[in-house]
């Protein structure tokens, strides 16, 4: 009987011991504990009544605010560095735990779409180095809001860097768009915060609305207009005026007040048109101009394919290179030598296509493509007639 009791006790103890061992945290585990003492630069924790852990030396380094101003009774997290040190205590680290905590917090911020402050520490040609909580992050240039985006003519990388350097020291509101603890990658975006703000304000606008604002920037592809409560829209170069222009600066200047119509709202992106608030002059072009009419037009551009000619403030036409001389012009330099930009010449209107905003011209006195084809056709026809006559004569002689 006694032997059986002893056997049962041993089995019970084995189960308890096994359970105790399995509960002991392993190296690398994140554990919770209550502070039981803070003395001589060491913090001791009670780890669920299983053991006592100690944090000391470099492992006391406060990675984040969780480990500042600790007092007895506080519950904190730490990382196991050794299961048992020379004093029989579990060796713990706030430094590693802090690192894990800030990354966990970062993942939560990204998942929940939380906006957080981040300070610009440095800049390179690709973007900005950002201090995010206790982590170092990066913001690519493409993720800056329009307010801070470097609109540099020609995309000069040195000027872009100069602009970015000027932002160092600023604190921006950002969102996390990529969190990778394994490869120490943290990507942030100011643009996403700006887009969220845009969406909220855009609820009061719809396609077709007319807005009034200020030209904030000009690029080769269009003009940016600031309006309303911090909103900004793009007027594509083709939507500035009804005429063809080489660059938005030909029609607009930064700081100019303009009216524009909203033509598309794509999420937070706003597309505007200035020209649509003005009647399309091409609708009435046939009231002023007729095919065959001789007009005087000013050359405003020389292209390899011909001349862009200004007939009036609204209507521009094209004189194709084949309509400028009866002899082929193959060299654009010769074309530029023959016609001077800004000078007026007389042209004949050869085609009018209002729906396509096209008007074709030929230099007065030049036969042009149509006439040359017609002439060749007539010559061919005459040759064939003569051939038929000769054949008939031959047949008559043979018959005689």
């Amino acid at each position: 009987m006694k032997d059986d009791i002893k056997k049962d006790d041993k089995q019970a103890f084995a189960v308890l011991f096994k359970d105790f061992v399995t509960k002991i945290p392993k190296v690398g585990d994140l554990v919770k504990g209550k502070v039981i003492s803070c003395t001589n630069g060491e913090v001791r924790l009670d780890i669920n009544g299983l053991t006592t852990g100690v944090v000391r030396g470099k492992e006391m380094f406060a990675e984040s605010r969780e480990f500042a101003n600790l007092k007895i009774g506080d519950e904190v997290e730490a990382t196991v560095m050794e299961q048992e040190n020379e004093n029989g205590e579990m060796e713990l680290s706030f430094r590693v735990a802090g690192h894990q905590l800030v990354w966990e917090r970062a993942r939560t911020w990204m998942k929940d779409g939380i906006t957080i402050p981040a300070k610009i520490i440095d800049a390179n040609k690709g973007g900005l180095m950002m201090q995010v909580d206790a982590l170092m992050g990066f913001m690519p240039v493409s993720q800056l809001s329009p307010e801070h985006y470097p609109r540099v003519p020609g995309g000069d990388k040195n000027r872009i860097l100069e602009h970015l350097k000027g932002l160092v020291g600023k604190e921006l509101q950002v969102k996390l768009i990529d969190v990778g603890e394994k490869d120490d990658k943290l990507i942030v975006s100011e643009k996403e915060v700006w887009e969220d703000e845009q969406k909220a304000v855009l609820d009061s606008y719809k396609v077709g609305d007319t807005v009034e604002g200020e030209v904030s920037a000009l690029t080769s592809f269009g003009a940016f207009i600031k309006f309303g409560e911090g909103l900004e829209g793009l007027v594509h170069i083709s939507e500035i005026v009804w005429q063809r222009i080489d660059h938005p600066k030909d029609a607009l200047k930064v700081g100019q007040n303009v009216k524009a119509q909203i033509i598309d709202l794509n999420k937070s992106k706003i597309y505007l048109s200035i020209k649509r608030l003005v009647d399309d002059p091409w609708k009435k072009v046939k009231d002023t101009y007729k095919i065959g009419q001789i007009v005087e037009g000013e050359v405003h551009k020389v292209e390899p394919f011909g001349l862009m000619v200004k007939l009036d403030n609204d209507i521009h036409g094209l004189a194709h290179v084949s309509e400028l001389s009866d002899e082929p012009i193959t060299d654009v330099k010769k074309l530029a030598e023959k016609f001077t930009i800004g000078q007026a010449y007389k042209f004949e209107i050869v085609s009018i296509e209002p729906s396509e905003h096209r008007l074709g011209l030929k230099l007065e006195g030049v036969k042009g493509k149509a006439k040359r084809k017609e002439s060749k056709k007539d010559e061919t026809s005459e040759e064939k007639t003569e051939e038929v006559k000769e054949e008939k004569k031959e047949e008559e002689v043979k018959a005689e």
Side-chain angles (χ1 to χ4, degrees), residues 61 68 135-136 153 158 197 231 233 235 258 263 287 292 325 328 339 365 387 396:
F61 177 71
L135 300 172
M136 189 61 68
N158 291 325
E197 292 171 352
L231 296 174
V235 184
V258 296
I263 58 174
D287 293 345
S325 172
F339 298 95
E387 284 177 10
E396 285 173 4

Side-chain angles (χ1 to χ4, degrees), residues 362-375:
K362 75 177 180 68
L363 190 66
E364 186 184 28
V366 172
K367 284 182 180 180
K369 288 187 290 186
K371 291 290 183 185
R372 282 196 294 275
K373 282 179 183 177
E374 208 175 285
S375 176

Side-chain angles (χ1 to χ4, degrees), residues 8-77:
D8 289 341
D9 287 343
K10 283 181 181 180
Q11 288 176 339
F13 177 77
V15 170
L16 287 172
F17 181 75
K18 185 179 180 182
D19 186 52
F20 173 78
V21 169
T22 55
K23 285 182 179 179
I24 294 176
K26 299 179 179 63
V27 172
D29 285 353
L30 189 65
V31 297
K32 284 185 179 181
K34 280 190 178 180
V35 177
I36 54 177
S37 71
C38 297
T39 56
N40 302 321
E42 296 180 346
V43 175
R44 282 181 169 76
L45 307 177
D46 172 42
I47 310 300
N48 298 324
L50 295 172
T51 185
T52 298
V54 62
V55 185
R56 56 185 177 175
K58 66 179 183 178
E59 305 306 334
M60 284 286 293
F61 177 71
E63 278 282 330
S64 60
R65 58 182 177 269
E66 278 81 7
F67 304 108
N69 306 313
L70 288 176
K71 59 185 183 296
I72 293 173
D74 286 348
E75 188 173 79
V76 292
E77 290 184 308

Side-chain angles (χ1 to χ4, degrees), residues 237-366:
I237 188 170
S238 64
E239 292 292 338
I240 295 175
V241 290
W242 287 105
Q243 301 77 35
R244 292 183 183 181
I245 54 177
D246 296 326
H247 195 283
K249 65 183 178 183
D250 296 339
L252 299 170
K253 59 183 179 181
V254 174
Q256 180 179 344
N257 287 319
V258 296
K259 285 185 178 180
Q261 185 182 77
I262 297 175
I263 58 174
D264 191 18
L265 294 171
N266 183 359
K267 294 182 180 179
S268 64
K269 293 177 182 177
I270 310 165
Y271 297 98
L272 306 170
S273 173
I274 294 174
K275 77 177 188 182
R276 297 193 196 187
L277 293 178
V278 180
D279 286 337
D280 182 358
W282 287 89
K283 288 180 180 178
K284 297 180 179 180
V285 67
K286 287 189 175 181
D287 293 345
T288 308
Y289 300 105
K290 309 291 179 187
I291 293 175
Q293 181 181 349
I294 302 299
V295 293
E296 192 170 86
E298 181 186 302
V299 175
H300 74 97
K301 195 172 183 185
V302 178
E303 298 279 12
F305 52 81
L307 306 177
M308 299 304 298
V309 180
K310 181 180 177 182
L311 300 186
D312 58 44
N313 289 332
D314 297 317
I315 305 300
H316 294 181
L318 168 66
H320 191 268
V321 65
S322 62
E323 304 284 13
L324 296 171
S325 172
D326 289 326
E327 299 298 324
I329 300 175
T330 55
D331 190 347
V332 71
K333 288 182 181 178
K334 288 182 180 178
L335 197 60
E337 288 170 5
K338 188 173 180 179
F339 298 95
T340 306
I341 292 176
Q343 189 171 324
Y345 300 86
K346 285 190 175 181
F347 298 90
E348 181 185 333
I349 298 175
V350 295
S351 66
I352 301 175
E353 299 175 71
S355 61
E356 299 296 326
H357 291 182
R358 283 202 297 240
L359 186 147
L361 300 166
K362 75 177 180 68
L363 190 66
E364 186 184 28
V366 172

Side-chain angles (χ1 to χ4, degrees), residues 129-157:
M129 301 303 298
M130 312 287 293
Q131 181 73 43
V132 184
D133 194 12
L135 300 172
M136 189 61 68
F138 182 70
M139 184 190 295
V141 175
S142 61
Q143 293 303 318
L144 281 164
S145 71
E147 181 185 354
H148 297 125
Y149 188 85
R151 292 183 182 127
V152 176
D156 186 311
K157 290 186 178 180

Side-chain angles (χ1 to χ4, degrees), residues 22-192:
T22 55
K23 285 182 179 179
I24 294 176
K26 299 179 179 63
V27 172
D29 285 353
L30 189 65
V31 297
K32 284 185 179 181
K34 280 190 178 180
V35 177
I36 54 177
S37 71
C38 297
T39 56
N40 302 321
E42 296 180 346
V43 175
R44 282 181 169 76
L45 307 177
D46 172 42
I47 310 300
N48 298 324
L50 295 172
T51 185
T52 298
V54 62
V55 185
R56 56 185 177 175
K58 66 179 183 178
E59 305 306 334
M60 284 286 293
F61 177 71
E63 278 282 330
S64 60
R65 58 182 177 269
E66 278 81 7
F67 304 108
N69 306 313
L70 288 176
K71 59 185 183 296
I72 293 173
D74 286 348
E75 188 173 79
V76 292
E77 290 184 308
T79 303
V80 178
M81 305 302 289
E82 290 180 46
Q83 283 189 312
E84 189 174 357
N85 63 16
E86 70 279 6
N87 299 317
E89 297 172 316
M90 184 172 284
E91 198 76 31
L92 303 174
S93 170
F94 282 158
R95 181 173 61 87
V96 178
H99 185 76
Q100 290 177 335
L101 284 169
V102 291
W103 277 105
E104 184 57 40
R105 189 159 53 237
R107 283 189 287 271
T108 301
W109 285 337
M110 184 178 76
K111 181 184 174 184
D112 296 341
I114 304 297
T115 297
I116 58 171
K119 188 176 181 180
I120 302 170
I121 304 300
D122 200 1
N124 57 41
K125 290 180 181 178
L128 302 167
M129 301 303 298
M130 312 287 293
Q131 181 73 43
V132 184
D133 194 12
L135 300 172
M136 189 61 68
F138 182 70
M139 184 190 295
V141 175
S142 61
Q143 293 303 318
L144 281 164
S145 71
E147 181 185 354
H148 297 125
Y149 188 85
R151 292 183 182 127
V152 176
D156 186 311
K157 290 186 178 180
N158 291 325
R159 289 186 62 186
I160 289 174
L161 180 58
E162 185 181 336
H163 174 89
L164 295 177
K165 289 279 188 184
L167 299 175
V168 173
K170 283 183 178 289
E171 186 174 89
L172 305 179
Q173 295 297 310
V174 303
K175 283 191 173 188
L176 306 185
I177 58 175
D178 194 357
V179 176
E181 181 181 0
K182 197 172 182 180
D183 49 6
D184 206 30
K185 181 172 71 173
L186 190 73
I187 307 298
V188 304
S189 171
E190 183 193 26
K191 187 172 77 171
E192 289 217 352

